[in-house]
Amino acid sequence: MELAPEQEALRIAAVRRYDVLDTPPDGAFDRIAALAARLCDAPAATVAIVDTDRVWFKAAYGLTGVTQVGRDPGLCTSAILTDGPLVIPDTLQDPRARTHELVTGPPRARFYAAAPIVTRDGHHLGTVDVLDTVPRRITPEQAAALADLAALVMDALELRLSALRMLRVERELMVAEHAARERAERDRAEIAAYASTLQRTLLPPALPEVPGLEAACHYTTASVRDVGGDFYDVFPLSTGRWAFFLGDVSGRGAPAAALTSLIRYTLRTTALLEPDPCAVLRVLNSTLLSAHADGSRFCTLVFGTLAPDSAGGFAVTLAGGGHLPAYSLCPARRNGPDRAVARAEQVSLPGGMLVGALHQADFASRTVQLLPGEALFLYSDGIIEALTSRGARFGEAGLAAHLTHHAATNRALGASAIIDDLTGLLATFPTGPADDVALLALSASSTTPARAPSGASGTAHTSVPLTAKVWDPCAGPPDEGVRRSAGTKAPES
């Protein structure tokens, strides 16, 4: 008797479902085979799975070197056709069993008893069986024990299948999670590249050469994946005059980038037509309110113009739009009638209001002298809001003290040295700035020839080695590494 082809196909599909064929030894099944042999007082026992053309032993007790046999009728192949235990007291007396290779060859089995391993949906996968070399019988209790052991094998196979399914699900989840991480990393990299490229378009790649002036700048963005809100620029006006500004827009990201672009364009074009810095800010105020009538998109900034002074240095006119005050740095003068101690003083612009917030905004201006050996320093609030190694805000007092110390330890103040000093300081802050940092320093050399700018100078754009927070407009995106370039004075005649 054999199963119908369609039933056999379903049975083989069930065997494949449990994925047990040709798997390594398993202690649970080995113990069941050994227990079957002890319960039936037999020298050999197996846990067998019947495949399409073979009988494979998941466990074999007392059968040395035997892992599988052909699918000949008489023993396992016949046992899976029964609904209960199959007992063959003498294999040589059974017409089908007498030709089986386990009977005709080692171990020369003369007794065989087996119980089928049955799935929940009724398919017989194989057997738990015992063999002996002499004819004999087993008791009904022993036959029932074989059936119980076959049920235990089925339970173990179900647990193993559940574990395999869980492993597959976990593996699929891990693969999906890995793919999602890779997608997220690609997205972050693309966002960072986009932000870096967009940020680069909003800041000057190099500052122009201004005769008799050294200019240096620095920019650190708080996030490589977002466009910062700080900006600065230095650009020529009429012959012998230049303009500069540094500021901070409201918000971050693409809206801040659009606002920054509008501000830079408006300042550059208006400054060519309006010699008064306050008038420039009034035009910018109207422009921003025209674009955002509710005053929700505004900025703070310091705007200034430079004009060479015949006595040396520059006359600097500053207009404030609600921004932090600039600093005037003077070294110690030890000779002559103007002997004085080094100092770093705020250049306050009282009354200056936010630009783009109110239609009737008022702006204040002030003219100061930038003498040879002196410097002017502008900054955004990221540096004073940063936390020092002691966990305290650096603050205005800390910045003033640091600039004063720099002025006291340098006989002539150079813009590049000031920026290098401050970026070195930023590198000591353990967490880095929580907000963008923009720095701009201008210093006058000993002579100031009155001639037009002749191209880009070697102005320093520096970057501090902060963890994944630094973006240097001259050094490229953050993944290119931290770069530093030394500032160079404009040539003197």
Side-chain angles (χ1 to χ4, degrees):
M1 178 180 177
E2 294 182 356
L3 291 175
E6 58 274 13
Q7 291 179 311
E8 175 64 6
L10 292 173
R11 191 193 70 80
I12 290 298
V15 171
R16 301 286 185 269
R17 182 172 73 225
Y18 288 92
D19 196 18
V20 67
L21 291 170
D22 299 311
T23 55
D26 188 308
F29 297 101
D30 291 340
R31 286 190 290 273
I32 289 175
L35 183 58
R38 283 200 301 274
L39 288 173
C40 295
D41 195 21
T46 71
V47 175
I49 304 297
V50 180
D51 198 2
T52 53
D53 57 353
R54 62 173 176 159
V55 176
W56 179 78
F57 299 138
K58 176 61 180 170
Y61 175 82
L63 295 178
T64 304
V66 181
T67 58
Q68 65 182 35
V69 295
R71 188 176 167 177
D72 298 326
L75 299 185
C76 293
T77 303
S78 298
I80 64 170
L81 302 177
T82 64
D83 291 329
L86 171 67
V87 178
I88 303 176
D90 189 346
T91 56
L92 295 181
Q93 302 301 316
D94 187 283
R96 306 190 72 180
R98 67 166 63 111
T99 59
H100 196 280
E101 62 181 280
L102 291 179
V103 176
T104 59
R108 301 197 181 279
R110 292 290 304 276
F111 165 77
Y112 177 81
I117 302 168
V118 185
T119 68
R120 294 175 182 175
D121 49 356
H123 297 294
H124 293 199
L125 304 181
T127 61
V128 172
D129 49 46
V130 292
L131 303 95
D132 206 341
T133 56
V134 295
R136 50 172 291 198
R137 293 182 178 277
I138 58 173
T139 65
E141 290 77 12
Q142 290 173 321
L146 282 181
D148 288 340
L149 292 176
L152 285 177
V153 169
M154 193 65 249
D155 290 342
L157 289 174
E158 290 288 353
L159 288 173
R160 183 178 179 278
L161 179 60
S162 296
L164 286 174
R165 285 173 175 168
M166 289 181 64
L167 286 174
R168 290 189 187 109
V169 169
E170 288 180 3
R171 190 176 298 116
E172 290 170 359
L173 289 174
M174 287 177 62
V175 170
E177 182 181 355
H178 180 70
R181 269 200 311 269
E182 286 188 336
R183 285 195 302 271
E185 288 171 2
R186 285 196 301 270
D187 290 344
R188 283 194 293 269
E190 289 174 2
I191 290 171
Y194 163 77
S196 174
T197 301
L198 183 55
Q199 191 81 69
R200 203 155 45 238
T201 66
L202 301 175
L203 295 171
L207 302 184
E209 179 185 333
V210 180
L213 186 83
E214 182 183 4
C217 55
H218 167 79
Y219 189 85
T220 298
T221 183
S223 171
V224 296
R225 290 180 290 276
D226 208 353
V227 181
D230 294 358
F231 58 91
Y232 56 83
D233 203 354
V234 179
F235 57 96
L237 297 174
S238 58
T239 301
R241 294 180 68 247
W242 289 264
F244 62 92
F245 56 80
L246 183 143
D248 186 1
V249 303
S250 58
R252 296 186 62 81
L259 186 61
T260 300
S261 181
L262 176 61
I263 291 169
R264 292 185 73 240
Y265 173 79
T266 303
L267 290 174
R268 276 179 160 262
T269 54
T270 306
L272 294 172
L273 304 173
E274 292 283 358
D276 179 12
C278 286
V280 174
L281 294 190
R282 284 193 291 269
V283 172
L284 177 60
N285 188 68
S286 299
T287 301
L288 296 185
L289 286 168
S290 296
H292 304 278
D294 60 353
S296 61
R297 307 301 292 167
F298 56 87
C299 72
T300 67
L301 82 151
V302 174
F303 178 84
T305 60
L306 289 162
D309 192 307
S310 58
F314 294 84
V316 181
T317 301
L318 297 173
H323 196 74
L324 298 165
Y327 273 91
S328 174
L329 280 70
C330 302
R333 301 187 188 278
R334 304 184 185 279
N335 300 311
D338 297 328
R339 183 180 301 176
V341 296
R343 65 185 188 279
E345 296 178 340
Q346 288 187 348
V347 182
S348 300
L349 298 166
M353 303 176 70
L354 297 177
V355 184
L358 299 171
H359 287 277
Q360 302 301 322
D362 190 24
F363 304 106
S365 65
R366 177 179 174 183
T367 299
V368 297
Q369 292 301 117
L370 181 61
L371 299 176
E374 297 181 351
L376 187 70
F377 175 67
L378 288 75
Y379 61 101
S380 63
D381 57 4
I383 188 170
I384 62 174
E385 291 178 355
L387 298 180
T388 68
S389 58
R390 297 181 178 180
R393 285 178 75 251
F394 185 48
E396 286 281 5
L399 177 62
H402 193 86
L403 293 175
T404 300
H405 179 266
H406 182 88
T409 53
N410 291 271
R411 298 187 62 181
L413 299 174
S416 296
I418 293 171
I419 296 300
D420 284 345
D421 184 27
L422 288 170
T423 53
L425 173 69
L426 282 170
T428 68
F429 295 165
T431 59
D435 197 3
D436 305 324
V437 175
L439 309 176
L440 177 63
L442 308 171
S443 60
S445 57
S446 58
T447 60
T448 307
R451 59 182 176 87
S454 59
S457 69
T459 303
H461 287 253
T462 62
S463 186
V464 292
L466 300 176
T467 55
K469 285 195 171 191
V470 174
W471 182 84
D472 175 0
C474 286
D479 58 0
E480 295 180 16
V482 174
R483 303 179 185 175
R484 299 180 69 86
S485 59
T488 306
K489 277 191 177 183
E492 301 178 9
S493 58

PDB file of all heavy atoms in Angstrom, residues 52 208 424 433:
ATOM      1  N   THR A  52      11.712  11.836  -0.224  1.00  0.00           N
ATOM      2  CA  THR A  52      11.167  11.301  -1.480  1.00  0.00           C
ATOM      3  C   THR A  52      11.804   9.968  -1.850  1.00  0.00           C
ATOM      4  O   THR A  52      11.124   9.066  -2.357  1.00  0.00           O
ATOM      5  CB  THR A  52      11.400  12.300  -2.621  1.00  0.00           C
ATOM      6  OG1 THR A  52      12.789  12.635  -2.663  1.00  0.00           O
ATOM      7  CG2 THR A  52      10.578  13.561  -2.422  1.00  0.00           C
ATOM      8  N   PRO A 208      37.227  90.397  -0.637  1.00  0.00           N
ATOM      9  CA  PRO A 208      38.011  91.141  -1.622  1.00  0.00           C
ATOM     10  C   PRO A 208      39.260  91.754  -1.004  1.00  0.00           C
ATOM     11  O   PRO A 208      39.347  91.949   0.204  1.00  0.00           O
ATOM     12  CB  PRO A 208      37.035  92.225  -2.084  1.00  0.00           C
ATOM     13  CG  PRO A 208      36.131  92.437  -0.918  1.00  0.00           C
ATOM     14  CD  PRO A 208      35.964  91.075  -0.300  1.00  0.00           C
ATOM     15  N   GLY A 424      40.339  78.931  17.747  1.00  0.00           N
ATOM     16  CA  GLY A 424      41.017  78.053  18.693  1.00  0.00           C
ATOM     17  C   GLY A 424      40.273  77.962  20.006  1.00  0.00           C
ATOM     18  O   GLY A 424      40.188  76.899  20.622  1.00  0.00           O
ATOM     19  N   PRO A 433      29.379  75.093  19.631  1.00  0.00           N
ATOM     20  CA  PRO A 433      28.297  76.076  19.694  1.00  0.00           C
ATOM     21  C   PRO A 433      26.943  75.428  19.412  1.00  0.00           C
ATOM     22  O   PRO A 433      26.821  74.573  18.542  1.00  0.00           O
ATOM     23  CB  PRO A 433      28.670  77.081  18.595  1.00  0.00           C
ATOM     24  CG  PRO A 433      30.119  76.851  18.323  1.00  0.00           C
ATOM     25  CD  PRO A 433      30.361  75.419  18.593  1.00  0.00           C
TER      26      PRO A 433
END
